[in-house]
Amino acid sequence: MSWDDLSKDELLSRFLQMEERIDELEEKIAQKDKRIEEQNERIEEQQERIEEQQERIEELETRLRKYENPH
């Protein structure tokens, strides 16, 4: 059956169904966008923590080399 075979009421009904489906999909997209943003924030926090830990490791390795270096 093609769109040309549908009555005005059937076309309107299908149009309204499609509008509802679009609304549902837009809501899902908005939820996923929010989740992605939250995950990006978490990633940024973890990257900062990794950088801080790397700096601390470098500091401790430097201190360790001072004690291991025979004078």
Side-chain angles (χ1 to χ4, degrees):
M1 179 180 278
S2 71
W3 289 100
D4 295 334
D5 297 332
L6 298 175
S7 71
K8 195 176 195 180
D9 288 339
E10 290 171 325
L11 286 172
L12 180 58
S13 174
R14 293 229 179 148
F15 176 77
L16 293 174
Q17 288 173 352
M18 287 192 294
E19 273 192 331
E20 283 181 28
R21 183 68 176 138
I22 289 169
D23 290 342
E24 291 170 7
L25 293 172
E26 286 176 338
E27 178 61 29
K28 283 185 178 182
I29 289 170
Q31 290 171 356
K32 288 183 186 277
D33 285 346
K34 183 178 184 221
R35 186 169 179 210
I36 288 169
E37 183 60 33
E38 290 169 352
Q39 290 173 338
N40 284 339
E41 289 173 8
R42 187 171 178 202
I43 289 170
E44 286 178 23
E45 291 169 0
Q46 290 173 339
Q47 286 174 329
E48 289 175 11
R49 186 169 182 201
I50 289 169
E51 288 174 11
E52 291 170 0
Q53 289 173 340
Q54 185 61 39
E55 289 174 6
R56 180 69 175 146
I57 289 169
E58 290 172 7
E59 175 189 324
L60 293 172
E61 286 176 340
T62 300
R63 288 175 61 189
L64 179 62
R65 279 193 297 272
K66 287 179 182 178
Y67 289 104
E68 290 179 339
N69 187 4
H71 294 296

